[in-house]
């Protein structure tokens, strides 16, 4: 039952038709999906594009795109009678899993790389009451452990290797086609475990098949230079980057990301931490959009292509995958704010401001 005048919301309600749900799938929701698509104010020109739009996936309930796939995975786990769920995560998947578990009365376990998860994401996991296990290793080690543990114990794995996560995430592509009236020429996004690039490509391909779009966008994926296994064509045993969300050396969806790149005549390239942080600051200062560092990798990539004379105009969408509030340490380390103290009087504030 929904309240008077309220329509049901969420990915399962809106996109049940493209998710092949069963009649028994519980239609849970935290209000995920249906995120804004906003036109760029300044970076469009800097990126050498005719149009640049931002898909604000940071507006999902736990502040990242992960909610789209997680709601489907948790609904399926409930349908299958699961009592507990588990994932490995660089922070956002764990925040999302913990939230949907709390909402659904499931127990949840998250495996995170020790000391490498941004403070806001840890705060979310703690608040949602999940059991947090800090792995003495990196994300790739945590994922290996999660796969083995869920094979041995009655706990559902809700990582992106779960077959319901990618279909949930592809709904963002359908929303973009719906909002623009067609697919864009290009889609730029960060690549970590490589599930999202695979999901968007699947979504756009289905839009073309269903007649929602006439175009197939070029998929432009960007990895952090210190964590770029797909770009190098080799595992990265000790991945390093300020964009902790994509600090991954052995992506689970490697092969499908390569397929998305090649079938779309796109690219997957690397951007340095300096380029990521420049885009992070430009998004905040010139667009008013506070995205987390990993989210800025897609925009850093577009800026890099423009600087190298490789931008060819057209309409691009950049996916802002996670909220800047999740990583307050990186934000404060970036700036030297000029905060002035003042007496608590009008005259005092005027004096402090030099008015
Ligand atoms: N952006 C953000 C904010 C992320 O949290 C992630 C992945 C990505 C981009 C990359 O997406 O893995 O589908 O290529 N975060 C995962 C996590 C790994 O555990 O939260 P991907």
């Amino acid at each position: 039952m929904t309240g008077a005048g309220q329509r049901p919301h969420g990915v399962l309600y809106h996109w049940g038709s493209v998710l092949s749900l069963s009649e028994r799938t519980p239609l849970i929701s935290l209000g995920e999906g249906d995120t804004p698509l906003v036109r760029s104010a300044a970076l469009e020109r800097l990126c050498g594009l005719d149009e640049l739009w931002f898909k604000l996936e940071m507006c999902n309930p736990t502040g990242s795109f992960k909610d789209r796939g997680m709601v489907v995975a948790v609904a399926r786990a409930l349908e299958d009678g699961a009592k507990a769920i588990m994932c490995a995560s660089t922070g956002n998947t764990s925040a999302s899993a913990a939230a949907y578990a709390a909402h659904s009365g499931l127990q949840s376990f998250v495996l995170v790389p020790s000391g490498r998860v941004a403070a806001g994401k840890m705060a979310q996991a703690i608040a949602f009451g999940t059991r947090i296990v800090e792995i003495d290793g990196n994300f790739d080690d945590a994922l290996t452990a999660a796969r083995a543990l869920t094979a041995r114990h009655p706990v559902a794995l809700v990582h992106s290797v779960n077959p319901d996560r990618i279909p949930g995430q592809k709904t963002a592509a359908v929303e973009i086609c719906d909002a623009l009236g067609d697919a864009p020429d290009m889609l730029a996004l960060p690549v970590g475990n490589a599930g999202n690039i695979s999901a968007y490509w699947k979504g756009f391909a289905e839009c073309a098949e269903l007649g929602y779009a006439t175009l197939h966008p070029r998929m432009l994926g960007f990895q952090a230079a210190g964590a770029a296994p797909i770009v190098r064509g080799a595992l990265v045993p000790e991945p390093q980057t300020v964009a902790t969300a994509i600090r991954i050396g052995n992506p689970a969806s490697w092969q499908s990301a390569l397929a998305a790149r090649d079938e779309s005549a796109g690219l997957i390239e690397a951007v340095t931490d300096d380029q990521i942080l420049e885009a992070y600051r430009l998004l905040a200062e010139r667009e008013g959009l506070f995205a987390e560092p990993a989210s800025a990798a897609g925009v850093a990539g577009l800026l890099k292509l423009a600087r190298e004379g490789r931008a060819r105009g057209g309409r691009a969408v950049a996916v802002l995958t996670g909220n800047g509030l999740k990583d307050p340490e990186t934000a404060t380390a970036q700036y030297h704010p000029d905060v002035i103290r003042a007496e608590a009087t009008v005259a005092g504030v005027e004096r402090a401001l030099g008015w």
Side-chain angles (χ1 to χ4, degrees):
M1 271 298 275
T2 52
Q6 260 212 276
R7 289 192 305 125
H9 49 248
V11 159
L12 299 175
Y13 288 103
H14 276 177
W15 301 116
S17 57
V18 296
L19 290 174
S20 56
L21 304 177
S22 91
E23 278 175 6
R24 292 183 304 117
T25 313
L27 299 184
I28 55 170
S29 171
L30 285 173
E32 62 292 321
D34 201 14
T35 55
L37 188 70
V38 300
R39 180 91 183 250
S40 160
L43 297 189
E44 183 169 280
R45 283 185 304 283
L46 289 180
C47 292
L49 294 162
D50 298 319
E51 284 181 35
L52 173 60
W53 297 79
F54 298 112
K55 181 68 170 161
L56 303 190
E57 287 294 281
M58 58 216 227
C59 293
N60 277 298
T62 73
S64 88
F65 71 98
K66 300 289 181 180
D67 296 338
R68 287 182 189 275
M70 194 56 71
V71 71
V72 187
V74 171
R76 288 283 197 192
L78 287 167
E79 182 180 338
D80 294 343
K83 299 278 176 276
I85 60 172
M86 175 179 274
C87 67
S89 181
T90 55
N92 281 324
T93 301
S94 51
S96 187
Y100 286 91
H103 182 74
S104 313
L106 289 172
Q107 205 184 357
S108 62
F109 300 88
V110 302
L111 270 49
V112 295
S114 172
R116 299 292 184 168
V117 177
K121 301 175 190 178
M122 284 308 274
Q124 288 179 291
I126 293 165
F128 294 132
T130 190
R131 195 94 178 92
I132 303 168
V133 185
E134 280 198 349
I135 294 287
D136 201 8
N138 60 32
F139 166 82
D140 304 294
D141 303 320
L143 179 54
T144 304
R147 286 190 202 241
L149 284 159
T150 50
R152 288 164 61 99
H153 298 277
V155 179
L157 182 64
V158 291
H159 204 272
S160 61
V161 291
N162 174 307
D164 296 311
R165 289 272 310 278
I166 304 280
Q169 286 177 205
K170 84 181 171 190
T171 58
V174 191
E175 287 177 17
I176 290 173
C177 293
D178 198 31
L180 294 177
D182 204 337
D185 301 310
M186 290 154 277
L187 185 95
L189 79 175
V191 174
N193 214 24
N196 213 24
I197 191 168
S198 312
Y200 270 97
W201 179 239
K202 195 169 165 36
F204 285 123
E206 284 182 18
C207 283
E209 268 168 39
L210 294 169
Y212 298 157
T214 62
L215 300 167
H216 281 87
R218 294 179 65 215
M219 306 299 290
L220 311 179
F222 296 96
Q223 299 199 291
I230 299 178
V231 180
R232 293 174 183 206
L235 298 182
V236 177
E238 298 288 338
Q240 295 298 340
T241 169
V242 67
T244 52
I246 52 171
R247 190 172 167 273
I248 294 173
N250 184 14
S253 300
W254 193 323
Q255 291 310 319
S256 51
L258 290 179
R261 179 194 70 184
D262 297 342
E263 289 167 17
S264 75
L267 52 82
I268 299 180
E269 295 193 5
V271 283
T272 64
D273 277 7
D274 283 349
Q275 289 169 330
I276 289 173
L277 290 172
E278 182 200 17
Y280 171 81
R281 289 190 301 266
L282 284 170
L283 277 167
E285 291 163 19
R286 305 286 293 277
E287 301 281 357
L289 292 170
F290 189 31
E292 70 170 278
S295 296
V299 177
L302 289 174
L303 285 165
K304 177 183 113 151
L305 295 181
R307 283 190 187 133
E308 292 174 357
R310 296 159 68 203
R312 292 182 227 137
R315 180 197 259 177
V317 171
V319 186
L320 299 189
T321 48
N323 198 308
L325 292 170
K326 285 172 173 276
D327 189 354
E329 297 104 330
T330 302
T332 41
Q334 279 302 297
Y335 299 97
H336 305 285
D338 186 14
V339 180
I340 42 180
R341 293 191 66 88
E343 269 172 35
T345 61
V346 171
V349 177
E350 284 177 340
R351 221 178 3 259
L353 288 169
W355 288 2

